[in-house]
Amino acid sequence: MHLCYFDENKHTPENPHFFLGGLLIPDQKAIEFENTLGQIAFNFFGARSLIQANEFHGKELFHGKGNAKGRKLEDRVRVFQDVATFVTDNHIPVRMVCINVERHQQKYKYPIPAYRLGLMLILERFVEYLDQANDLGLVFGDYEADEVTGAVVDFSEYKTQGKTPMYFGKPLGRLLDTVYFTQSHHSRFLQVADLLVYMAGRYENRTDIPDRWHENAVKDAWEKIKASGNVNIQRWP
């Protein structure tokens, strides 16, 4: 079985690209991978416990806010680099959806809300990988209070109908039970999904990236992940 984790970013009129996605973890490797991420957390926070004070957030790490406030820039950059090494060394599949919300809303008379569309597409991408691996999966998302109920109902409807309602919709039978939501500080894998989505949102659609060493270092970490050959980003529309 694979454990499938996803998170999302916040889009704005200035940056209309909505990213939703994350990673798939083979269950037989989960304990080993948790230990590795626990070591990365210990190196930065001095503790491994799954509490908010020891939680990795891409935006806060990059800007030195929240529980990363006051930490040296090189230490914060190192977390992105360590996570990139973790993903690439372990050949972890990364699946992501990028929705240009502005274009999506212009193209369709009755556009599906970005989160709802993104969830449907990322479930399809997870299933595509599970088809290749001939395996089953459980899906875990970062808890968003205003999205949870709709997401669970949508997932149930897709399974009942036999496939997603896209034109080339896919059956989701390889995904078991429901979509589980939990607070990201309770899961290192959700925190990795957060970092992946943050890096994708920051670097995938920009040409005006400042020429600063830390910006280049984090961008290089993202490029390292993409160069692994295990990354797939679906762009919509």
Side-chain angles (χ1 to χ4, degrees):
M1 181 178 292
H2 278 71
L3 311 177
C4 313
Y5 296 86
F6 72 90
D7 199 356
E8 77 284 339
N9 71 347
K10 306 297 182 186
H11 60 277
T12 64
E14 294 75 29
N15 183 14
H17 294 92
F18 174 68
F19 281 87
L20 188 148
L23 63 162
L24 297 97
I25 301 295
D27 63 346
Q28 68 271 23
K29 289 284 190 177
I31 294 176
E32 174 190 338
F33 289 173
E34 275 190 313
N35 288 337
T36 299
L37 294 173
Q39 184 62 52
I40 294 172
F42 183 82
N43 292 346
F44 185 77
F45 294 113
R48 299 170 182 261
S49 51
L50 293 171
I51 59 175
Q52 288 180 320
N54 302 331
E55 178 181 4
F56 290 133
H57 267 301
K59 185 175 181 179
E60 293 181 350
L61 278 169
F62 190 87
H63 294 287
K65 304 292 185 180
N67 60 4
K69 186 176 182 180
R71 298 300 303 269
K72 292 181 180 179
L73 183 55
E74 54 265 34
D75 292 340
R76 293 187 276 119
V77 168
R78 180 62 183 268
V79 174
F80 289 99
Q81 295 170 327
D82 285 348
V83 167
T85 298
F86 163 74
V87 171
T88 56
D89 281 3
N90 292 294
H91 310 288
I92 294 173
V94 174
R95 295 296 181 268
M96 212 164 282
V97 174
C98 172
I99 300 172
N100 186 318
V101 177
E102 185 176 291
R103 287 179 56 197
H104 172 63
Q105 292 174 342
Q106 291 172 350
K107 183 173 181 178
Y108 297 95
K109 188 174 183 179
Y110 304 105
I112 301 173
Y115 184 94
R116 190 176 186 183
L117 174 62
L119 176 63
M120 179 166 51
L121 295 175
I122 198 61
L123 293 175
E124 291 185 345
R125 304 294 75 75
F126 285 155
V127 167
E128 281 181 352
Y129 180 84
L130 295 172
D131 283 343
Q132 295 170 6
N134 191 27
D135 204 359
L136 303 175
L138 285 175
V139 181
F140 302 86
D142 186 16
Y143 185 85
E144 295 285 343
D146 55 343
E147 302 288 359
V148 169
T149 300
V152 171
V153 170
D154 282 352
F155 179 73
S156 176
E157 285 296 319
Y158 303 155
K159 294 193 72 172
T160 299
Q161 294 167 7
K163 68 180 187 65
T164 57
M166 305 300 290
Y167 184 73
F168 293 105
K170 291 187 67 65
L172 302 181
R174 289 189 181 273
L175 299 176
L176 301 179
D177 197 19
T178 188
V179 179
Y180 295 90
F181 290 90
T182 188
Q183 302 288 345
S184 58
H185 62 271
H186 292 155
S187 169
R188 291 292 176 206
F189 296 132
L190 279 178
Q191 293 167 42
V192 172
D194 178 284
L195 266 66
L196 292 170
V197 168
Y198 179 79
M199 288 188 281
R202 189 168 187 86
Y203 300 117
E204 275 303 292
N205 300 289
R206 288 184 58 185
T207 57
D208 59 339
I209 299 169
D211 187 18
R212 303 190 180 108
W213 80 265
H214 67 288
E215 192 87 65
N216 291 328
V218 178
K219 183 175 185 294
D220 287 346
W222 174 240
E223 293 297 333
K224 176 180 178 179
I225 292 170
K226 289 203 299 177
S228 70
N230 294 314
V231 178
N232 181 285
I233 303 175
Q234 179 182 3
R235 299 182 183 276
W236 181 279

